[in-house]
Amino acid sequence: MRTITRAVRHVRAASRLRERDNFLSSLSRRQTTLVNPVSVSTYRGSYIDEIGGYSQPIMISRTLCSPAARDTSGDVGKAGPLVEYERRIAAGELVDGDSCQVGTLRELQRLYDRLVESADACQLDRYAASDKSSRSRWLWSRFIPQFSYSPVKGLYLYGGVGTGKTMLMDLFFEQLPTSWRKKRIHFHDFMLNVHSRLQRHKGVTDPLEVVAGEISDESILLCLDEFMVTDVADALILNRLFGHLFTNGVVLVATSNRAPDNLYEGGLQRDLFLPFISTLKERCVVHEIGSLIDYRKMTSARQGFYFTGDMSSGHLKEKFHQLIGEQTATPQEVEVVMGRKLQRIFIPWHWMVCRFLGSTIGQQHIGDV
C-alpha cells in the first residue's frame, strides 16, 4: 500500500513540474509579445474640466493596462511667463514699455520657478503617483486626517481695470506643463460650481470639506480670474472652503480689481468674512499692478460699445448682423445656473445687440423678453 501511495505522489509531483514549465514558457512568450509594438493597441483617453480639455494616449493590450506615460511634447520650449512675454514683445504681439507689467511678470516667473522646483512636493503632476499609492493615500485619509499645506505660496494680483491682469495670468497658465493638475476659471463660474457640488452632497456632515476634497483632487494649482465677492452666501463659506483647500495643498493664483482688505467691502455680516482675508494673505503673496494704462482703450473700444438715442438704430442693426453672421435669430431656451432654464419667446434684434454690446437701450424693452 505504501508503495502505491509513493508512486501516486511521484506522478502528481511530475505533473506539477510539467505545468510549471509550461506556465513559465507561456509567460516568456507573452512578455516577448508585449514588447512588440504591433501587438499593442493605442486608444485615446481624455481628461476634461470646466474650462478646457486634455487628451493623452494610453497603451492597452489584452494582458496589460497601464497609465499613460508622461507627455511633455507640448512643454518643449516653455521657460516661463517672463520669457514668453519678451518673445511676444519681440514679435510685435504685445506693446512694450509697461514697467508695472514687467514687475508683475517677475512675480509670476518667481512662482513658476518655485512650482517647477517643488512639483513633486506639491504633487502637481497627475502621472507621478501610481494607482496603488493613490488608493493607499485615500484609505489612510479615511482614518487619519491628512493636512499638507503647499510649500509654495500662491499669488494674488490686483489693480485697476484694463491693466492686463487676465492677460498676464493666462500667459502664466499657458506656460505650465500640460501634465500638471491645474485649472483656470472665472471666480464667478468657480463659485457656481461650488454651490452645485454642495447641492449634490446635501446631507453630508461637512459638505464643504467634501467639495474641497473633490476640487483639490482635480486641481492643485487653481487660477481664479476676477476675484470679486458680492454675494453674502459666497462670503460666508469662503473662509472654510479655502481653509480646506489650502490644507489639501492647493496653490491659489488670483486676479482682482480690489486689494484683499477691500474685498466684500460694506457687505452684510462682513465680520464673518474677515478671517478669509487673513487666510488669503497668509497663503498668497499680494502684488499690486500699479499701471495707469487702460489697454482696453487702445483697441476696438475706441469705436464705442454703448449706443444711445434714436439715431443709433441703424448702427445697432449693423452690429447685430455682424454678430449673428449667416445665422437666423429664433426663440431659444437658455440654461441659467444649476439646471435652471429660461425660455425666450421673443427676442427683438435691438435687445440681442444690447445684451452683447452692453447698450442701455435694452432697459427700455425688458417687457419684450
Side-chain angles (χ1 to χ4, degrees):
M1 187 65 182
R2 291 179 180 176
T3 303
I4 295 175
T5 302
R6 283 196 297 269
V8 171
R9 289 176 179 173
H10 178 75
V11 171
R12 288 179 177 176
S15 177
R16 291 193 188 100
L17 287 174
R18 282 196 300 271
E19 290 177 359
R20 186 195 66 177
D21 293 339
N22 291 336
F23 172 75
L24 292 175
S25 177
S26 174
L27 181 60
S28 177
R29 288 195 300 271
R30 287 169 60 189
Q31 289 175 339
T32 303
T33 303
L34 284 176
V35 298
N36 183 359
V38 178
S39 66
V40 181
S41 303
T42 303
Y43 292 86
R44 197 143 190 93
S46 63
Y47 169 84
I48 301 175
D49 59 20
E50 290 82 351
I51 62 170
Y54 175 82
S55 297
Q56 178 71 22
I58 300 177
M59 305 302 291
I60 302 178
S61 74
R62 297 177 185 176
T63 58
L64 176 65
C65 180
S66 61
R70 187 181 307 178
D71 181 9
T72 58
S73 57
D75 303 329
V76 177
K78 293 184 178 180
L82 185 57
V83 176
E84 175 63 14
Y85 179 79
E86 293 171 349
R87 185 201 67 78
R88 293 187 186 186
I89 288 179
E93 300 174 13
L94 293 176
V95 179
D96 193 6
D98 192 338
S99 59
C100 294
Q101 285 194 353
V102 173
T104 303
L105 279 162
R106 289 197 182 100
E107 287 294 326
L108 288 167
Q109 184 69 41
R110 176 196 60 79
L111 176 59
Y112 173 88
D113 293 337
R114 288 280 291 118
L115 289 171
V116 171
E117 293 171 1
S118 308
D120 292 338
C122 295
Q123 298 182 0
L124 281 164
D125 198 320
R126 71 177 77 253
Y127 302 110
S130 66
D131 292 338
K132 182 177 180 180
S133 61
S134 298
R135 288 193 298 268
S136 176
R137 286 195 304 272
W138 179 88
L139 180 62
W140 279 108
S141 65
R142 302 307 94 181
F143 300 98
I144 304 175
Q146 304 292 306
F147 301 108
S148 177
Y149 286 102
S150 172
V152 179
K153 283 190 175 184
L155 185 61
Y156 183 95
L157 302 175
Y158 74 96
V161 295
T163 54
K165 300 183 296 295
T166 298
M167 182 273 293
L168 294 174
M169 188 179 73
D170 287 346
L171 194 151
F172 163 79
F173 187 83
E174 291 166 4
Q175 290 295 300
L176 301 173
T178 54
S179 61
W180 281 10
R181 290 189 290 160
K182 58 178 183 175
K183 179 180 294 183
R184 188 266 191 222
I185 187 171
H186 193 280
F187 177 73
H188 178 69
D189 294 331
F190 172 74
M191 292 309 301
L192 285 176
N193 180 264
V194 168
H195 287 293
S196 178
R197 291 175 187 257
L198 287 174
Q199 286 292 325
R200 291 203 302 267
H201 297 296
K202 207 170 184 179
V204 177
T205 304
D206 189 353
L208 275 174
E209 183 180 9
V210 178
V211 170
E214 292 178 347
I215 294 173
S216 57
D217 283 344
E218 297 166 2
S219 310
I220 285 294
L221 181 61
L222 194 58
C223 296
L224 300 182
D225 192 29
E226 299 290 348
F227 205 110
M228 176 65 73
V229 185
T230 57
D231 184 76
V232 63
D234 293 345
L236 294 179
I237 68 172
L238 276 176
N239 188 49
R240 290 181 55 226
L241 172 65
F242 275 88
H244 289 309
L245 288 174
F246 288 141
T247 55
N248 289 344
V250 167
V251 179
L252 173 66
V253 179
T255 68
S256 178
N257 292 339
R258 299 195 174 202
D261 290 328
N262 297 332
L263 287 172
Y264 196 52
E265 196 170 29
L268 295 173
Q269 299 181 318
R270 190 172 185 264
D271 56 321
L272 300 178
F273 177 78
L274 295 178
F276 169 70
I277 296 178
S278 300
T279 302
L280 184 64
K281 292 194 293 186
E282 179 185 349
R283 295 306 310 163
C284 293
V285 174
V286 179
H287 178 80
E288 179 183 9
I289 305 177
S291 178
L292 299 177
I293 302 175
D294 187 346
Y295 286 92
R296 301 173 304 170
K297 296 179 180 179
M298 300 174 63
T299 57
S300 59
R302 292 176 177 176
Q303 303 173 7
F305 282 110
Y306 294 87
F307 308 99
T308 58
D310 297 335
M311 301 300 294
S312 62
S313 179
H315 192 41
L316 282 171
K317 189 173 183 178
E318 178 186 348
K319 289 292 184 182
F320 171 71
H321 287 296
Q322 289 178 5
L323 289 169
I324 67 173
E326 299 179 356
Q327 298 181 3
T328 303
T330 57
Q332 58 182 316
E333 187 177 70
V334 180
E335 185 172 352
V336 188
V337 291
M338 297 177 66
R340 299 176 184 176
K341 295 182 179 180
L342 175 66
Q343 182 69 39
R344 295 193 176 195
I345 301 174
F346 176 63
I347 307 178
W349 66 265
H350 52 266
W351 170 251
M352 288 193 68
V353 173
C354 295
R355 292 300 300 272
F356 278 105
L357 303 180
S359 173
T360 55
I361 295 179
Q363 297 176 1
Q364 304 171 9
H365 303 277
I366 293 178
D368 294 337
V369 180

